[in-house]
Structure formats: structure tokens, C-alpha cells
């Protein structure tokens, strides 16, 4: 039998092709298609195996889910994202950029679980045991039932699991483990797929939950084969800006709970700290009203957060005025500036406009359009808006204010936080909303000459 041509595969998602191409046909990534050895013979046909004993299929009514409920970890924000806790036998993949705090978060989870007389096996393949102990002592996570192993071989990890019978296993990280049954270095497509498949099989057979740390690519996607995300039960993304201490955990996939919950954390010198009520993190502490500021109620998952938007408008003599944004989409701000000039009569074509959010949070939803427009209008007219005013709404190109999702929840959160005036889709146009907002201004100053 003649040998088949050696195929090529993508190092990111595992997609295969018979000829080399510059761009992967599955994940559309450039420069990741590499050559791999192909099998020279056809695979043998799989023979049927008759199941015996407990493996025999039974009616679903004979099974019980009493032992498959969520078990809290002790970290409330992490449990919120998981849907109430960790399900026995579940495999969780936590991804994030280097240095964002994945290991610190999981070490805190491990110490909280071990503090309740549970055995936790923490496998560190990236750091030495002394480095992990140093971090645990700094964050107060030293527990007698928290077992630490520094291994890079999959067989040794399986031996630790079999000998200790832990209640929770944490692998940091899956890209650094390697199996002796597969050729290639750790982190390759074949190695990551084999390591993950083996750990998933062990978790399902022993009902031991396993949390694996995954690296991300430069585009923010989970590194390794794409099948890794399909095999695991839960995929969580740990994100945050290195310049700020705020961190968010989002569930991209969850077989046992919702995928629209967000956990909020803050990095400190003593480790990672939960932020159960982050309502004051994204607002400034200015006492007197200042022009160019307006608060909106943004949704992060199911959580409504008050976010203050700040704008600054200054005269510009340049032929092309500057448009600088931080925390909001630049294309969205450019559209709102055009609507303000055309529909509200506010001239901005000869002025530099700066728009930013407070606290380093990023807003991607259109529900913040009205707050951005009011902040820019307030800065342009130099008329401050009251602190008790919140704006929620999407602005169309016609100047119409449209409704947003979960409007009732946003309004209730605004009232709970002390906002007595909420501007929303009840206003027919952006011009009417600006007039109403300016009418509530605690004081006016002279309009600048642009």
C-alpha cells in the first residue's frame, strides 16, 4: 500500500489539510499551519464490545443527581461565575494573560477549600514548590491539607492523584505537562490534547473536580487545540488591565450554570480580594459637580454597575482635531459626536474631544451612548450635571434614544444607589434629553467660544 501524503495541521486549533497554506481554514490564524507526520496505514476497524456490570445502559430514571450538586469553594465571586460552586467530576479551564493573577486566584481557591478539611492537590509545573509556598505564606493560604507537587510529567501527576485521593485537583498549567506516550514537546497540539483527555477521563471516573490553567495567544484566545474548549465542562476567562488592580472572571462556557455572570476581584499586596459590591469603583470622588461627567448603569453579565463617563472638550487650532478615548469604543464616540453636532446643534468639529471611563473599566454596550453624549455636551457647554442623574440609552443616527436590555434592572440599581433622576428612552430625542439634563444643573457658567 502506498504511503499517503504527509498532512499539515494548525498548531492553534488542530485543523488538518493535505497541502500547506498560509492561513488556517478553521481559526483563520496566519502562520500556524505546520507539517506533521502522517500514518502510513489505515486505522483498524473498531470492534464492538458488549458492556457488562455497571456499564450496562439503564433508564435515566434510575440515576440520581443528588451527589452532583454544586459545592461552594469559599470564594464567593468565583462561585457566582460557576453557578454556585464546583460540580464533582467537572473539568474547569481557566485562561488569562500572563501575570493577570490566575495562579494567585487558584491558590486562594485551594486554600479556602482545604480550610474545610478537604484534601487539595495543587500541581505546579511552572513554578517551584518554594515559590508557591512563598506566595501562599504572603496571602495567608498555608493549610495542612493543601498538598503541593512540582511535576511536569503526566504519569507522575496521575500517581499523585491515585495515592492522595484529593477532593480537588489544580493543574498549573496544562500546556506545561507532557505525556510519555506522545512524541513532541510540552505545549504542542498532540501533547495538550492527550494531557487534557487523560485528565478529563480521570475526573469522570473518580468524580474528582479538576481545574486547569490555560495560556492564551496574542489575540486573547485559549492556546492549544480548539478541541480543548469543547472537551472541558467549564471555560472561564480571567481578564484585567495590568495598570489597574481590578480583575474580572467571566464564564465563556458552563455546562452546569449560567454564562452571563461576572466575578469581580481586586489585586492587593496580600493577594486577591473579592469585591462583592463594586458600585463605588467606577465613580470619582469629586464633591462638587464638575462639567463633563455623567454616570450610566452598565451591565457586566447579570450585574448592573454604575460607571462614570468623563469628557473634556477644548478648542483646537489643528486642521484635524484630536479624538482620544479610553474605556469606550472610538468608532462609537465618533458617531455620537456627529449626532451631537447634527441633531443637537453642538459644534465639535473645531475642538479636541477626550472621553474616558473611571476605574479602568471598558464599556462595549450601546447602553452607554446617552451618558457619553451628555458628558460631551456638558463639557462643551461647561454646564455641570448633578451627581444624582444617571443616563441609560442607545442613540441612533437620527438622534432618537432607544431602549436597552434589562432596563428595569438598571433603573432599580440606579435607585438603590441614590440616583433620583434616570434619563432613558422615555425622552424622544437627544436634544430633549440634553435640555432636560441641563435644566437640572446645580449651576451654569459662561458658554465657551469655540
Amino acid at each position: 500500500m502506498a504511503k499517503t501524503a504527509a498532512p499539515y495541521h494548525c498548531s492553534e486549533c488542530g485543523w488538518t489539510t493535505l497541502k500547506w497554506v498560509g492561513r488556517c481554514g478553521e481559526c483563520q490564524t496566519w502562520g500556524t499551519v505546520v507539517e506533521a507526520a502522517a500514518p502510513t496505514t489505515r486505522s483498524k476497524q473498531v470492534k464492538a464490545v458488549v458492556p457488562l456490570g455497571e456499564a450496562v445502559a439503564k433508564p435515566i430514571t434510575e440515576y440520581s443527581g443528588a451527589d452532583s450538586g454544586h459545592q461552594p469553594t469559599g470564594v464567593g465571586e468565583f462561585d457566582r461565575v460557576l453557578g454556585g460552586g464546583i460540580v464533582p467530576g467537572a473539568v474547569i479551564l481557566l485562561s488569562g494573560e500572563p501575570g493577570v493573577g490566575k495562579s494567585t486566584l487558584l491558590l486562594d481557591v485551594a486554600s479556602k477549600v482545604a480550610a474545610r478539611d478537604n484534601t487539595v492537590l495543587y500541581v505546579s509545573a511552572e513554578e517551584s514548590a518554594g515559590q508557591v509556598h512563598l506566595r501562599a505564606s504572603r496571602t495567608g493560604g498555608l493549610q495542612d491539607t493543601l498538598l503541593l507537587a512540582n511535576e511536569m510529567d503526566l504519569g507522575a501527576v496521575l500517581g499523585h492523584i491515585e495515592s492522595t485521593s484529593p477532593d480537588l485537583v489544580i493543574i498549573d498549567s496544562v500546556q506545561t505537562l507532557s505525556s510519555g506516550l506522545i512524541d513532541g514537546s510540552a505545549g504542542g497540539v498532540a501533547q495538550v490534547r492527550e494531557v487534557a483527555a487523560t485528565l478529563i477521563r480521570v475526573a469522570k471516573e473518580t468524580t474528582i473536580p479538576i481545574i486547569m490553567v490555560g495560556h492564551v495567544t496574542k489575540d486573547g484566545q485559549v492556546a492549544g487545540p480548539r478541541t480543548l474548549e469543547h472537551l472541558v465542562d467549564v471555560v472561564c476567562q480571567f481578564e484585567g488591565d495590568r495598570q489597574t488592580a481590578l480583575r474580572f472572571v467571566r464564564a465563556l462556557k458552563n455546562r452546569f450554570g449560567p454564562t452571563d455572570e461576572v466575578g469581580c476581584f481586586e489585586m492587593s499586596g496580600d493577594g486577591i480580594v473579592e469585591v462583592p459590591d463594586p458600585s463605588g469603583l467606577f465613580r470619582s470622588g469629586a464633591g462638587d459637580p464638575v462639567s463633563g461627567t455623567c454616570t450610566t448603569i452598565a451591565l457586566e453579565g447579570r450585574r448592573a454597575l454604575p460607571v462614570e463617563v468623563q469628557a473634556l472638550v477644548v478648542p483646537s487650532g489643528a486642521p484635524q482635531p484630536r479624538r482620544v478615548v479610553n474605556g469606550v469604543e472610538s468608532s462609537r464616540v465618533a458617531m455620537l459626536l456627529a449626532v451631537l453636532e447634527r441633531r443637537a446643534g453642538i459644534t465639535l468639529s473645531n475642538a479636541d474631544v477626550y472621553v474616558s471611563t473611571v476605574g479602568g473599566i471598558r464599556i462595549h454596550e450601546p447602553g452607554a451612548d446617552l451618558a457619553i453624549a451628555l458628558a460631551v455636551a456638558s463639557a462643551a457647554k461647561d454646564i455641570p450635571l448633578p451627581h444624582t442623574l444617571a443616563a441609560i440609552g442607545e442613540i441612533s443616527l437620527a438622534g432618537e434614544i432607544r431602549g436597552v436590555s434589562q432596563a428595569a434592572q438598571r433603573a432599580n440599581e440606579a435607585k438603590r444607589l441614590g440616583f433620583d433622576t434616570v434619563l432613558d428612552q422615555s425622552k424622544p430625542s437627544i436634544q430633549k434629553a440634553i435640555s432636560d439634563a441641563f435644566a437640572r444643573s446645580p449651576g451654569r457658567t459662561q458658554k465657551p467660544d469655540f
Side-chain angles (χ1 to χ4, degrees):
M1 182 179 297
K3 295 183 179 180
T4 58
Y8 297 82
H9 73 272
C10 175
S11 59
E12 291 291 336
C13 66
W15 177 73
T16 58
T17 179
L18 293 178
K19 62 180 181 179
W20 183 87
V21 291
R23 187 176 188 179
C24 174
E26 179 68 22
C27 63
Q28 303 299 319
T29 306
W30 289 94
T32 58
V33 178
V34 295
E35 186 177 3
T40 57
T41 59
R42 293 182 179 179
S43 59
K44 298 180 180 179
Q45 185 176 2
V46 179
K47 296 182 180 180
V49 179
V50 179
L52 299 174
E54 295 294 333
V56 177
K58 297 182 294 184
I60 192 174
T61 55
E62 297 184 11
Y63 291 92
S64 175
D67 298 333
S68 301
H70 293 83
Q71 298 180 358
T73 63
V75 182
E77 291 298 299
F78 191 55
D79 293 338
R80 174 198 290 266
V81 177
L82 298 179
I86 300 178
V87 176
V91 180
I92 303 172
L93 177 64
L94 179 65
S95 65
E97 296 182 356
V100 74
K102 302 184 298 296
S103 301
T104 304
L105 173 62
L106 291 184
L107 189 59
D108 185 41
V109 171
S111 62
K112 294 291 180 59
V113 175
R116 299 198 301 267
D117 295 332
N118 296 317
T119 303
V120 180
L121 177 60
Y122 190 99
V123 179
S124 176
E126 295 183 345
E127 298 177 295
S128 65
Q131 292 173 332
V132 178
H133 177 272
L134 182 62
R135 181 189 293 115
S137 61
R138 177 173 54 86
T139 59
L142 297 178
Q143 300 292 337
D144 293 335
T145 55
L146 176 55
L147 308 180
L148 180 61
N150 184 231
E151 296 288 351
M152 300 182 64
D153 182 67
L154 178 62
V157 174
L158 298 180
H160 285 294
I161 296 176
E162 184 176 354
S163 60
T164 58
S165 299
D167 299 297
L168 175 64
V169 177
I170 297 178
I171 307 295
D172 187 10
S173 66
V174 66
Q175 275 91 0
T176 53
L177 291 181
S178 60
S179 173
L181 302 178
I182 302 296
D183 296 332
S185 59
V189 175
Q191 284 286 356
V192 173
R193 183 182 290 112
E194 175 66 19
V195 170
T198 304
L199 293 175
I200 292 172
R201 175 182 56 81
V202 171
K204 302 305 179 184
E205 291 178 352
T206 61
T207 68
I208 298 176
I210 297 178
I211 304 178
M212 301 185 298
V213 175
H215 296 164
V216 297
T217 62
K218 60 182 180 180
D219 297 329
Q221 303 294 328
V222 179
R226 197 68 179 179
T227 54
L228 180 61
E229 300 181 42
H230 299 287
L231 291 175
V232 299
D233 300 311
V234 182
V235 179
C236 294
Q237 183 176 3
F238 197 37
E239 59 186 29
D241 191 355
R242 291 187 179 183
Q243 307 300 326
T244 62
L246 194 64
R247 301 290 187 269
F248 287 107
V249 178
R250 308 175 187 271
L252 305 181
K253 171 188 175 183
N254 193 351
R255 291 176 177 170
F256 314 114
T259 56
D260 54 358
E261 284 287 2
V262 177
C264 187
F265 299 88
E266 186 176 7
M267 295 295 293
S268 64
D270 298 330
I272 193 165
V273 181
E274 300 179 61
V275 184
D277 187 12
S279 58
L281 296 178
F282 314 115
R283 300 172 62 188
S284 63
D288 298 330
V290 181
S291 62
T293 63
C294 186
T295 302
T296 185
I297 307 298
L299 279 184
E300 287 290 341
R302 293 185 178 181
R303 175 175 292 177
L305 300 176
V307 179
E308 182 176 316
V309 180
Q310 296 182 346
L312 181 63
V313 178
V314 295
S316 174
Q320 293 183 348
R322 301 189 63 184
R323 302 290 188 260
V324 181
V325 300
N326 183 25
V328 293
E329 296 181 357
S330 58
S331 59
R332 198 82 188 175
V333 173
M335 184 197 74
L336 294 175
L337 296 182
V339 172
L340 285 174
E341 185 157 356
R342 180 65 178 86
R343 305 297 179 185
I346 300 177
T347 304
L348 298 170
S349 58
N350 56 355
D352 295 334
V353 180
Y354 304 85
V355 179
S356 177
T357 57
V358 175
I361 189 173
R362 297 184 179 273
I363 305 178
H364 301 284
E365 61 169 342
D369 288 355
L370 185 55
I372 297 175
L374 289 178
V376 173
S378 173
K381 299 295 186 180
D382 198 13
I383 299 177
L385 302 179
H387 287 320
T388 58
L389 183 144
I392 307 168
E394 177 186 357
I395 298 178
S396 65
L397 292 178
E400 176 191 5
I401 300 178
R402 304 174 58 86
V404 295
S405 61
Q406 304 293 331
Q409 180 183 356
R410 299 175 194 245
N412 293 334
E413 182 67 14
K415 293 180 180 179
R416 186 186 72 85
L417 297 174
F419 293 95
D420 55 11
T421 304
V422 178
L423 300 181
D424 51 16
Q425 69 274 15
S426 61
K427 302 299 177 183
S429 64
I430 179 61
Q431 188 173 7
K432 183 65 173 65
I434 293 175
S435 300
D436 193 4
F438 285 173
R440 302 174 185 272
S441 173
R444 299 192 181 192
T445 56
Q446 185 180 0
K447 176 183 175 181
D449 186 15
F450 291 108

